[in-house]
Amino acid sequence: MLDIRLVRENTEKVIDALKKRSEDTSVLDKLLSIEGRRRDLLKAVEDDRQQRNSLSQEIGKLKKEGGDASALLEEAKKVSEDSVSKEAELRDLEILAKNELLLIPNIPHESVPVGRDENDNVEVRRWGNIPEFSFEPKNHWDIGESLDILDFDRASKIAGARFVIYKGGGASLERALINFMLDLHTKEHGYTEVITPLLVNREAMTGTGQLPKFESDLFKLEEGDAKGFLLIPTAEVPVTNIHREEILSGDELPIYYTAYTPCFRREAGSYGKDTRGLIRQHQFNKIELVKFVKPEGSYDELETLTNNAEEVLKRIGLPFRVISLCTGDMGFSAAKTYDIEVWFPAQKKYREISSCSNFESFQARRADIRFKTEGRKGTEFVHTLNGSGLAVGRTFAAILENFQQEDGSVIIPEVLRPYMGIEKISKK
RNA sequence: GGAGAGGUGGCCGAGUGGUCGAAGGCAGCCGCCUGCUAAGCGGUUGUGGGGGUCAAACUUCACCCAGGGUUCGAAUCCCUGCCUCUCCGCCA
């Protein structure tokens, strides 16, 4: 959510931002007209209230002294009654203004490349050598099925399309990845591990920006007692909301959290895409990194957060590149986003494995997360950042493809061996 | 699932219709005093919005879990919801 004052006083900047995102600017006209009326009415209502308050005070005083207050009572009643409709209208306008404001995306940072879609994203750096194979590299789902460590068919019997069963060495590898990533982030990168609810309420989803605009991406529970719960599409939601409606003290910051959670996504509208394999599942595991920081250093924090995510790939030994998303391709709440893309040999291209963003105060304003600096009056909104560190399923897939051998086996990357106790997954 | 209790400022806690943004205590801050420590004394300390100002001062409105209602006036009365706690039952 943007600051309504910014929208009011710096409208051009907001229009510019919307245009860069290829978004319709008409929402803004609507918002501003509502906001204008809201402010006029606020003044009127407050004047009424002031008058009423002072009359009431006199009535109180008079009654205490045993005087006759009936004339004042009459007057006060009139003021009150006259104000009723204004108060109601004001309430409506406040809700309307808030609703409109919630639909406006964040303003991109000045360093973000301007562009229409993913073709205008800018590659920032690459790491690692793309592996060469003396044979035609296979897709990870073929590898996984032939090693009997992934089972898509039976999963679809249990749940449906876009679900998977990890089995044997597959389950072990998935678990190893989770533990390796968590250990790296907690022991070396300074994050505190949290385990959070996977079902959350609407307020939490609104706080991070999934609602109200992206309801169709989410799984919801709608029956009986469960009514109102939504399944998290990312740990960003519960973790960022840990400090919702809190005023942190300045010296608590920065706060770094990491969390392992399953994530649930409807993937409505992506029917043709990635129908096979682990890339696009309704349920997948992810390690998330979340930061709460002071505004001054938040872009440095984005760099280190991104580096922290890259480090996972470096240690495993998977080639990747980092791209800076352009204005048209960035998510709704983000001010700047780096995507990390890992190499998939069978598809011969880089695919997203992490997305690291600075939301500046956009989420903090929605979720009301502030901090107070000792000796300074008032409070400020924190800046929130998050990124995947990493998507576990996609990392799993990348390992199968990049470390596959001609005989169909898969070499386990060295850093994962202590977690698994084996060096290789082979056919039985 | 059954029975009860309760949600007030950073914390504890008083307040049941009227100068209450809220007593008192603790903690914090400023000052005084005390040759250290501790104690003592005086003052001060919430958040958000509007107006105002270069900025401040100042001013006004709202906020005692949330949302409605009654009333000239609500922390205080009524309704609904949410949450917490205790006991019993059930349960990984």
Side-chain angles (χ1 to χ4, degrees):
Chain A
M1 184 165 66
L2 300 178
D3 185 353
I4 185 64
R5 263 193 298 209
L6 175 81
V7 179
R8 227 161 47 205
E9 292 162 16
N10 233 326
T11 312
E12 285 310 310
K13 193 174 172 184
V14 180
I15 290 175
D16 184 51
L18 287 171
K19 282 186 178 158
K20 282 180 178 166
R21 280 179 175 271
S22 311
E23 290 255 353
D24 187 13
T25 55
S26 66
V27 272
L28 215 58
D29 300 334
K30 195 171 167 196
L31 172 61
L32 285 171
S33 99
I34 293 168
E35 174 62 7
R37 280 191 288 143
R38 184 188 75 83
R39 282 174 33 105
D40 291 344
L41 210 57
L42 179 66
K43 181 91 177 81
V45 165
E46 291 200 340
D47 286 348
D48 284 350
R49 285 206 269 237
Q50 187 185 349
Q51 200 186 342
R52 189 204 65 198
N53 285 348
S54 67
L55 283 171
S56 290
Q57 216 169 71
E58 282 183 61
I59 291 169
K61 207 193 287 177
L62 209 59
K63 281 198 164 175
K64 210 174 222 170
E65 292 161 359
D68 175 24
S70 58
L72 283 175
L73 252 146
E74 196 74 14
E75 200 184 334
K77 187 166 188 166
K78 193 162 179 313
V79 172
S80 243
E81 280 170 356
D82 288 352
S83 204
V84 166
S85 66
K86 289 187 217 167
E87 300 243 11
E89 200 189 336
L90 178 64
R91 254 201 307 265
D92 291 346
L93 285 172
E94 279 170 350
I95 293 166
L96 279 175
K98 179 85 185 283
N99 287 347
E100 291 301 318
L101 201 55
L102 286 175
L103 295 175
I104 296 177
N106 203 354
I107 295 175
H109 187 253
E110 56 188 15
S111 67
V112 172
V114 177
R116 260 194 123 58
D117 53 36
E118 69 269 16
N119 297 312
D120 298 320
N121 293 340
V122 173
E123 184 174 309
V124 178
R125 58 182 166 269
R126 286 186 188 211
W127 183 93
N129 298 316
I130 287 170
E132 307 217 345
F133 294 93
S134 57
F135 57 97
E136 191 59 36
K138 288 191 273 185
N139 277 311
H140 67 269
W141 56 87
D142 288 333
I143 301 167
E145 285 180 330
S146 82
L147 289 173
D148 196 24
I149 60 174
L150 293 178
D151 190 338
F152 294 95
D153 294 339
R154 290 197 177 93
S156 80
K157 179 169 68 180
I158 300 166
R162 296 200 189 285
F163 288 92
V164 68
I165 296 167
Y166 292 88
K167 183 180 171 190
S172 170
L173 176 57
E174 180 82 357
R175 189 154 51 86
L177 282 168
I178 292 166
N179 285 330
F180 164 64
M181 293 183 200
L182 285 174
D183 284 346
L184 176 65
H185 296 314
T186 56
K187 291 174 184 166
E188 298 188 44
H189 295 155
Y191 292 78
T192 302
E193 183 179 353
V194 289
I195 297 175
T196 68
L198 307 179
L199 299 175
V200 303
N201 55 37
R202 299 190 69 86
E203 288 71 37
M205 286 291 187
T206 306
T208 34
Q210 279 73 19
L211 288 180
K213 217 177 169 183
F214 304 98
E215 182 132 23
S216 63
D217 296 344
L218 304 168
F219 284 109
K220 284 176 279 186
L221 303 183
E222 285 179 329
E223 298 296 321
D225 285 351
K227 198 175 169 65
F229 283 123
L230 299 113
L231 279 70
I232 60 166
T234 160
E236 162 189 353
V237 177
V239 178
T240 304
N241 278 284
I242 286 175
H243 294 298
R244 189 169 91 230
E245 287 160 41
E246 286 187 18
I247 298 173
L248 303 161
S249 99
D251 43 59
E252 285 178 80
L253 298 175
I255 296 171
Y256 299 165
Y257 290 126
T258 184
Y260 152 65
T261 69
C263 302
F264 304 90
R265 298 189 183 175
R266 293 272 293 278
E267 296 296 347
S270 61
Y271 295 116
K273 286 187 206 159
D274 303 308
T275 49
R276 305 203 60 189
L278 294 172
I279 299 296
R280 197 173 298 276
Q281 295 274 299
H282 284 311
Q283 176 188 327
F284 61 95
N285 293 318
K286 184 155 63 70
I287 307 297
E288 189 73 1
L289 305 171
V290 176
K291 290 183 171 184
F292 300 81
V293 307
K294 292 182 186 175
E296 307 89 77
S298 72
Y299 279 91
D300 292 335
E301 296 280 3
L302 177 62
E303 296 302 320
T304 54
L305 186 143
T306 308
N307 291 340
N308 293 155
E310 290 172 48
E311 187 63 23
V312 176
L313 291 172
K314 287 182 180 173
R315 301 240 181 147
I316 294 172
L318 288 167
F320 65 88
R321 64 173 188 171
V322 179
I323 59 173
S324 180
L325 295 193
C326 75
T327 50
D329 200 30
M330 262 195 325
F332 178 79
S333 304
K336 180 168 186 169
T337 299
Y338 290 118
D339 272 8
I340 302 174
E341 298 182 333
V342 70
W343 179 254
F344 278 88
Q347 298 185 27
K348 295 192 171 48
K349 58 179 170 185
Y350 288 100
R351 302 286 319 253
E352 177 187 341
I353 198 165
S354 171
S355 189
C356 303
S357 302
N358 186 357
F359 303 91
E360 299 190 5
S361 59
F362 189 85
Q363 292 180 329
R365 191 170 285 108
R366 286 174 162 246
D368 195 16
I369 307 168
R370 291 171 286 165
F371 74 98
K372 184 168 176 59
T373 306
E374 193 71 26
R376 232 194 287 176
K377 68 160 175 38
T379 55
E380 292 176 76
F381 288 109
V382 302
H383 280 193
T384 58
L385 301 92
N386 69 55
S388 0
L390 305 164
V392 181
R394 289 185 181 183
T395 309
F396 184 109
I399 288 173
L400 293 199
E401 293 200 13
N402 283 278
F403 291 88
Q404 61 179 301
Q405 306 299 306
E406 191 158 15
D407 66 359
S409 66
V410 172
I411 302 281
I412 300 300
E414 220 152 311
V415 284
L416 298 175
R417 290 179 196 169
Y419 293 93
M420 293 183 68
I422 54 170
E423 295 179 8
K424 195 191 218 186
I425 301 177
S426 313
K427 274 187 212 177
K428 295 205 177 93

